[in-house]
């Protein structure tokens, strides 16, 4: 298998800057950088957003931070301004999310592009150029597809070509977020229905194993899965939007894998290892330690740090019993081992919740726990994690700051479900 998702365990302190003035120039003179559909969006007035930021959602369960709604909205806007100026880049005929350290020449990976296609439509109304930027992000995806129609996972920011060895392939997390982004765009502005359904049809064929679990990548085996891809809220939205495919089967099997795995390997903490093998059986288990990456794959690492955010989001939006249960146990485990101090949450954690490699830290591990704490109904822990969001003590760049952006939207109560639920 390709070692495609490896991250350095040392967080880079370099921050890549893309000036707001450059982006403004691109939006004014779109023909210089953003062709096709995005050009057309800029040339005429963008559609009015149906869900302009801030949306102020009442979640199905849990608590929200004690800070006032206006304070929370302001924090999201501040983070968005920072994120956009540093990571949204005009390139490759459209826009890309500059994935610092993950792709050459200020390039991108499909994960980053998917994140951008979620963030931008959620911030429409605050960002007047959101639709043009979304179309630019989508353009880069469309023009960098692999043989199964998914986005090639790594793109060089200068040549705009595939930036890995071997035949271009895709990663499931990026595929899922691109599909969700298209649904958000369709609900926000209209006009993306056909594109979304076409993408979801290809995604279902490429990334769903016969039993219904999510594969790690579109050219990977039908035996493996990666829990950081367990975006159950996305899958529920797919089921409502794309009735031509059995996404409910994917929801059910994903929940079964979680339950089967945690019952045996993490009954108290409900933590999920970075990679899981034998996912096509009733006995899924942690992958070997060096299965795909240079960090241990049999415990929580830089992939599964995202699980509290993804599972917590599903609990908040839809109130699923499996997601609520996992969120409660994960939140409690992180809180206990950290001594209720967000700064003591670490990226590498054994399945019993014990941290390892405590000299290595990343806000990508701390921030997601805030969403699980909300779903768990733990007000004091939620407030501590909310306050921690305003800091970046480890000098995180793209990965941590982009996860923070999405966590901020959820924790602020501004993350609306495209299902209308």
């Amino acid at each position: 298998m390709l070692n495609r998702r490896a991250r350095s365990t040392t967080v880079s302190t370099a921050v890549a800057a893309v000036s707001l003035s450059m982006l403004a120039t691109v939006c004014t003179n779109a023909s210089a950088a953003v062709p096709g559909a995005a050009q057309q969006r800029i040339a005429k007035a963008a559609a009015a957003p149906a869900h302009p930021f801030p949306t102020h959602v009442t979640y199905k369960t849990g608590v929200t931070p004690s800070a006032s709604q206006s304070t929370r909205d302001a924090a999201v806007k501040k983070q968005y301004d920072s994120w956009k100026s540093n990571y949204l880049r005009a390139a490759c005929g459209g826009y890309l999310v500059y994935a610092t350290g993950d792709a050459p020449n200020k390039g991108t990976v499909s994960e980053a592009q998917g994140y951008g296609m979620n963030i931008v439509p959620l911030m429409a109304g605050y960002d007047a150029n959101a639709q043009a930027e979304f179309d630019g992000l989508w353009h880069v995806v469309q023009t960098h597809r692999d043989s199964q129609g998914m986005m090639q996972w790594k793109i060089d920011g200068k040549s705009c070509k595939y930036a890995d060895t071997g035949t271009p392939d895709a990663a499931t997390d990026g595929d899922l977020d691109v599909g969700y982004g298209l649904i958000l765009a369709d609900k926000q502005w209209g006009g993306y229905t056909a594109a979304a359904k076409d993408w979801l049809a290809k995604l279902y064929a490429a990334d769903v194993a016969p039993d219904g679990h999510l594969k790690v990548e579109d050219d990977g085996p039908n035996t493996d899965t990666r829990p950081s891809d367990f975006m159950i809220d996305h899958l529920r939205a797919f089921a409502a939007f794309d009735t031509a495919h059995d996404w409910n089967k994917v929801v059910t099997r994903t929940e079964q894998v979680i339950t089967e795995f945690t019952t045996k390997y993490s009954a108290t903490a409900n933590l999920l290892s970075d990679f899981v093998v034998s996912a096509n059986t009733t006995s899924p288990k942690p992958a070997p330690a060096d299965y795909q990456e240079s960090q241990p794959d049999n415990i929580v690492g830089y992939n599964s740090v995202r699980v509290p955010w993804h599972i917590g989001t599903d609990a908040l939006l839809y109130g699923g019993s499996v997601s609520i249960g996992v969120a409660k146990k994960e939140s409690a485990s992180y809180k206990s081992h950290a001594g209720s101090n967000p700064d003591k949450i670490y990226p590498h954690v054994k399945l019993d919740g014990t941290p390892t490699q405590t000299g290595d830290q990343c806000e990508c591990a701390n921030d997601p726990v805030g969403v699980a704490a909300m779903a768990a109904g733990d007000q004091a822990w939620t407030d501590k994690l909310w306050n921690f969001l305003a800091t970046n003590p480890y000098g995180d760049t793209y990965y941590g700051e982009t996860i923070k952006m999405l966590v901020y939207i959820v924790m602020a109560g501004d993350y609306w479900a495209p299902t209308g639920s």
Side-chain angles (χ1 to χ4, degrees), residues 19-351:
S19 70
L20 284 169
S21 60
M22 183 193 79
L23 289 171
T25 300
V26 171
C27 290
T28 302
N29 185 18
S31 61
V34 188
Q39 242 185 58
Q40 295 170 16
R41 297 288 188 195
I42 300 169
K44 62 183 181 181
H51 303 274
F53 181 89
T55 51
H56 300 165
V57 176
T58 300
Y59 294 133
K60 298 280 189 183
T61 191
V63 297
T64 53
S66 297
S68 68
Q69 185 66 68
S70 61
T71 298
R72 285 182 269 146
D73 293 342
V76 174
K77 292 175 183 178
K78 181 179 179 181
Q79 176 64 17
Y80 182 68
D81 291 342
S82 173
W83 177 84
K84 179 178 172 179
S85 68
N86 284 305
Y87 305 111
L88 187 62
R89 175 174 177 248
C92 300
Y95 285 100
L96 57 78
V97 175
Y98 169 24
T100 317
D102 282 358
N105 297 313
K106 297 185 177 181
T108 195
V109 290
S110 59
E111 159 207 284
Q113 209 69 2
Y115 286 153
M117 289 177 67
N118 282 213
I119 292 167
V120 169
L122 289 168
M123 295 304 297
Y126 174 66
D127 183 350
N129 295 317
Q131 191 172 10
E133 291 155 0
F134 179 87
D135 286 341
L137 290 163
W138 174 225
H139 174 81
V140 171
V141 173
Q142 288 179 288
T143 53
H144 294 87
R145 299 197 189 212
D146 70 3
S147 62
Q148 298 193 62
M150 299 289 93
M151 182 182 172
Q152 299 170 3
W153 90 273
K154 183 190 287 191
I155 305 299
D156 186 298
K158 184 176 180 180
S159 70
C160 299
K161 294 181 179 180
Y162 185 62
D164 202 0
T165 57
T167 303
D169 61 349
T172 300
D173 57 348
D175 300 345
L176 292 167
D177 272 330
V178 168
Y180 194 70
L182 287 166
I183 296 176
L184 286 173
D186 194 59
K187 299 299 182 180
Q188 188 68 284
W189 300 296
Y192 299 86
T193 302
K197 289 189 174 181
D198 177 72
W199 181 269
L200 292 178
K202 290 181 171 63
L203 192 162
Y204 196 92
D207 292 337
V208 177
D211 71 321
H213 81 262
L214 292 167
K215 297 163 56 177
V216 174
E217 56 224 0
D218 63 354
D219 63 346
N222 290 325
T223 56
D224 302 354
T225 194
R226 185 172 61 158
S228 59
D229 300 341
F230 292 176
M231 308 171 199
I232 301 177
D233 71 304
H234 289 22
L235 300 176
R236 295 191 203 278
F238 296 169
F241 191 86
D242 175 30
T243 56
H245 299 89
D246 193 359
W247 290 104
N248 286 316
K249 175 183 177 181
V250 187
V251 171
T252 298
R253 183 59 197 145
T254 301
E255 291 179 332
Q256 289 172 343
V257 170
I258 292 170
T259 301
E260 291 162 356
F261 182 96
T262 56
T263 297
K264 185 170 183 179
Y265 297 102
S266 189
T268 300
N270 268 207
L271 297 174
L272 297 157
S273 57
D274 264 17
F275 291 90
V276 171
V277 296
S278 300
N280 59 328
T281 74
T282 58
S283 301
K285 59 185 179 181
D290 57 353
Y291 190 61
Q292 281 225 21
E293 300 190 359
S294 57
Q295 58 175 333
D297 291 336
N298 59 340
I299 63 171
V300 174
Y302 276 87
N303 289 292
S304 281
V305 292
R306 294 173 284 187
V307 171
W309 155 41
H310 289 318
I311 298 297
T313 298
D314 180 61
L316 292 170
L317 281 185
Y318 297 100
S321 60
V322 171
S323 292
I324 291 174
V326 171
K328 286 182 175 179
K329 289 188 175 183
E330 290 204 346
S331 173
S333 177
Y334 279 109
K335 179 181 179 180
S336 174
H337 286 89
S340 299
N341 181 358
D343 188 49
K344 300 300 182 183
I345 295 173
Y346 300 94
H348 292 92
V349 178
K350 295 179 182 179
L351 296 181

